[in-house]
Amino acid sequence: MKSKPKKKNRDRKRRRERAASDPDLLILNLADLFRIVLLGFMMRGSRIKPQLVFALICALVLQIYASDPLFYESFDENFEGRWIVSENEEFKGVWKHAKSDGHDDHGLLVSEPAKKYAVVKELDQPVSLKDGTVVLQYEVRLQNGLECGGAYLKYLRPQEAGWVANEFDNESPYTIMFGPDKCGSTNKIHFILKHKNPKTGDFVEHHLKFPPSVPFDKLTHVYTAVITPDNHLHILIDGEEKKKANFLSSEDFEPPLIPPKTIPDPEDKKPEDWDERAKIPDPVATKPVDWDEDAPMEIEDEDAVKPEGWLDDEPEEIEDPEAAKPEDWDDEEDGEWEAPKIDNPKCEEAPGCGEWKRPLKRNPAYKGKWSAPLIDNPAYKGIWKPRDIPNPEYFELEKPNYEPIEAIGIDIWTMQDGILFDNILIADDEKVAASYRETTWKPKYDVEKEKEKVDEAAPGSGTLAGVQKKVFELLYKIADIPFLEAYKIKILDLIEKAETQPNLTLGILGSVVVVLFTILFRLLFGGKKPAAPVTPPAAPTETESAEKDTMEEKEEEENEEDKADGGAQRPRRRRA
């Protein structure tokens, strides 16, 4: 690998230049510090030593330098020449340096829909995750929404792992993948750690379990991942913690970083005589003599009486007296003309027309097919499972063996354009990340939020759309409730249907309420299986529409065949 010249971080340089160009500010800070120290020594009656003065000045300078991020990209300047666009032929998406809608602030823009995109930025110095806190943070705005695509970042391993910047793609080895991803039932803020198994040497993807959902709007959001020395991960959205996890907990990552001590023996086989049936038909039971398997389920009601005024001689339908044979009707070609049928108007005033028949009722003698009752199986041994053996790949771990980060890459496939990345930050201090959120993200978000309120309040803006938006926001918050984690996929499936069929929003909300009450009922009173969510009636699918068209075409073909055979085409009946 070619050696790279060491470059000073631009943000750090700017910070130093500001300090150098504003001596009044620096002097003021020093003066304040000296006053505090001097007051303390005066109270104690002590003298200030020159060495102490020098130490205080050094501490202040170190504090200024310590507040710098390890990496920061604002995209205020064009990214070309600093970020390397992949030359991989699969990644044809064009990146653009563009302004965020409604702002003068620039970002890195996904400019075309239905494309693959890849771009990478090599860091001046690798970032170690093994010592101290590391904060990964960036902003992204889904200006056209996100129906199917990703908006995540990849934090890449050193190039010795086998990747080249101008050939960067989805196979380039990374340490962490972090950010929004949404398509179908997938709706989450990804966090994936690639960790090396010390026993096998293989890198394994460990996915965060039950991650938070992607915000449902088109505003700028800031995503933060904080990795702390105590093996914890904190996921923040807009500065608010949405998920806390332990890297070494099997409850938080799948698969867990630490493999199980034992595994099922792959060589163990279930014995042929192993009986897993808890219940069996009673072998000594016999069908009762009076059991009639042939008795019908329904029989005529012998007690029924024909209603008075029933018109036995009147048909239910009659020929339309107003219908007339078309002038261009040709009996030889079209067959004998028949007037269309209509409902008999006399039947509307009477209890009924035509032949009266007794109604059916349930047969009290009906029992159906007989089967022997079930009894406890005396040979039941339980559900078989292979015996456990020591896991040859097991290892102990006090803390993850993180690979360093040497570059930041974006490789995504998306059906939407308008995705804008901005203010990518790596820091070793949570306060630094918080300060950048306040100065770079918060002002933009406040402007966008205020504009959104004005648009929703404007006449003709669509009150229903505003209601649906609030409903979706509520549903996503419900999906993130911790005790519903096991049902999150079902709830997200319902939300996905609501997004694709907005006219069903209220029905979807009702379905989620049913799911919630069902879950609460199960938790309070127990139960073997959770109830399936109630899905509201869906609009006809493309398949159903195609089947309907096929049936109509088939009817037309049958009519054509009737014509060819010389038969008469039956006119469609018209109902009154």
Side-chain angles (χ1 to χ4, degrees), residues 226-234 245-249 252-253 397-400 402:
V226 183
I227 301 170
T228 56
D230 61 355
N231 300 330
H232 278 88
L233 167 70
H234 305 262
N246 188 325
F247 281 106
L248 303 186
S249 171
D252 292 334
F253 281 87
L397 198 65
E398 292 186 0
K399 62 186 310 170
Y402 303 107

Side-chain angles (χ1 to χ4, degrees), residues 297-542:
M297 184 181 295
E298 293 181 322
I299 58 175
E300 286 188 353
D301 186 358
E302 297 295 337
D303 297 328
V305 179
K306 181 170 66 175
E308 293 184 6
W310 189 279
L311 305 178
D312 296 89
D313 299 329
E314 288 290 340
E316 294 183 13
E317 293 182 335
I318 61 173
E319 292 184 354
D320 186 354
E322 298 180 0
K325 180 178 179 180
E327 294 180 359
D328 59 349
W329 187 278
D330 190 330
D331 290 339
E332 292 184 0
E333 293 184 4
D334 301 329
E336 183 181 355
W337 181 81
E338 294 179 3
K341 300 285 187 178
I342 63 171
D343 290 337
N344 188 344
K346 294 181 180 180
C347 297
E348 295 181 0
E349 300 176 359
C353 292
E355 182 184 359
W356 179 80
K357 295 181 180 179
R358 285 187 172 85
L360 298 178
K361 69 175 184 179
R362 181 174 178 81
N363 182 6
Y366 172 77
K367 295 183 178 180
K369 293 293 182 182
W370 180 85
S371 59
L374 296 178
I375 62 171
D376 291 336
N377 182 4
Y380 176 66
K381 295 184 178 180
I383 303 300
W384 181 87
K385 62 178 183 178
R387 63 176 176 269
D388 288 336
I389 61 172
N391 184 359
E393 297 183 3
Y394 172 75
F395 58 87
E396 294 184 356
L397 198 65
E398 292 186 0
K399 62 186 310 170
N401 184 25
Y402 303 107
E403 293 291 314
I405 297 172
E406 191 169 273
I408 298 175
I410 307 174
D411 91 84
I412 57 175
W413 175 88
T414 177
M415 293 302 293
Q416 279 71 48
D417 58 355
I419 301 175
L420 191 77
F421 295 88
D422 200 6
N423 294 314
I424 301 174
L425 171 79
I426 301 178
D428 55 9
D429 188 343
E430 294 181 63
K431 294 180 180 179
V432 173
S435 68
Y436 273 82
R437 288 196 298 269
E438 285 297 316
T439 57
T440 65
W441 167 75
K442 192 67 165 58
K444 285 191 294 186
Y445 179 80
D446 290 342
V447 171
E448 294 164 7
K449 193 69 176 176
E450 189 62 32
K451 183 178 183 300
E452 182 184 58
K453 292 179 180 178
V454 172
D455 291 343
E456 291 178 356
S461 60
T463 305
L464 179 59
V467 172
Q468 289 174 340
K469 178 180 180 298
K470 294 185 180 300
V471 169
F472 289 141
E473 290 177 350
L474 173 63
L475 294 179
Y476 281 121
K477 289 180 180 179
I478 291 174
D480 285 333
I481 296 175
F483 85 89
L484 295 178
E485 288 181 341
Y487 301 88
K488 184 173 182 178
I489 294 177
K490 290 183 179 180
I491 297 175
L492 291 177
D493 283 341
L494 292 173
I495 299 174
E496 185 70 22
K497 290 178 182 178
E499 289 180 344
T500 56
Q501 302 179 50
N503 58 308
L504 300 179
T505 300
L506 295 179
I508 294 292
L509 180 59
S511 300
V512 174
V513 171
V514 171
V515 172
L516 292 176
F517 275 111
T518 303
I519 294 170
L520 289 173
F521 182 84
R522 296 286 179 180
L523 291 175
L524 293 174
F525 302 105
K528 295 183 179 180
K529 295 182 180 179
V534 179
T535 304
T541 63
E542 293 181 2

Side-chain angles (χ1 to χ4, degrees), residues 18-209:
R18 286 199 300 270
S21 61
D22 194 357
D24 292 338
L25 179 61
L26 182 60
I27 292 172
L28 180 61
N29 291 334
L30 288 171
D32 289 339
L33 183 61
F34 284 144
R35 276 198 296 270
I36 295 172
V37 175
L38 181 60
L39 180 61
F41 274 86
M42 289 176 62
M43 293 176 65
R44 294 174 55 189
S46 305
R47 296 180 60 187
I48 302 177
K49 297 181 180 180
Q51 296 88 336
L52 178 59
V53 175
F54 179 75
L56 291 174
I57 295 175
C58 291
L60 180 60
V61 173
L62 287 174
Q63 178 61 34
I64 294 173
Y65 276 65
S67 62
D68 291 334
L70 303 175
F71 171 82
Y72 177 61
E73 173 60 80
S74 67
F75 293 107
D76 290 340
E77 302 173 4
N78 199 321
F79 68 93
E80 295 179 0
R82 296 182 294 106
W83 288 70
I84 301 172
V85 178
S86 176
E87 299 173 5
N88 188 307
E89 60 182 11
E90 291 186 14
F91 294 83
K92 299 295 186 182
V94 177
W95 295 99
K96 290 187 178 180
H97 182 242
K99 290 183 180 180
S100 179
D101 184 24
H103 303 287
D104 290 331
D105 189 39
H106 285 77
L108 184 63
L109 179 69
V110 170
S111 65
E112 300 173 295
K115 297 281 186 180
K116 288 184 177 182
Y117 291 80
V119 66
V120 67
K121 174 70 171 77
E122 298 181 59
L123 306 183
D124 294 340
Q125 295 292 334
V127 174
S128 173
L129 302 174
K130 294 183 178 181
D131 302 316
T133 296
V134 174
V135 185
L136 311 176
Q137 180 171 286
Y138 73 103
E139 298 171 16
V140 67
R141 185 179 186 186
L142 309 173
Q143 298 178 108
N144 296 326
L146 187 64
E147 294 180 9
C148 191
Y152 43 78
L153 302 187
K154 287 183 176 179
Y155 299 86
L156 305 175
R157 284 157 46 196
Q159 288 184 317
E160 288 83 351
W163 63 275
V164 181
N166 61 3
E167 297 176 5
F168 170 63
D169 61 10
N170 57 305
E171 297 297 328
S172 299
Y174 62 87
T175 295
I176 289 173
M177 174 174 157
F178 171 54
D181 188 21
K182 182 179 178 184
C183 194
S185 61
T186 298
N187 186 323
K188 57 187 174 183
I189 307 301
H190 265 303
F191 189 93
I192 304 174
L193 173 68
K194 274 199 173 182
H195 188 264
K196 186 177 182 179
N197 184 314
K199 284 288 188 73
T200 64
D202 296 331
F203 281 90
V204 180
E205 288 186 358
H206 301 277
H207 294 245
L208 176 65
K209 287 184 178 180

Side-chain angles (χ1 to χ4, degrees), residues 204-222:
V204 180
E205 288 186 358
H206 301 277
H207 294 245
L208 176 65
K209 287 184 178 180
F210 312 116
S213 302
V214 181
F216 178 78
D217 56 40
K218 300 178 182 179
L219 309 180
T220 300
H221 292 281
V222 57

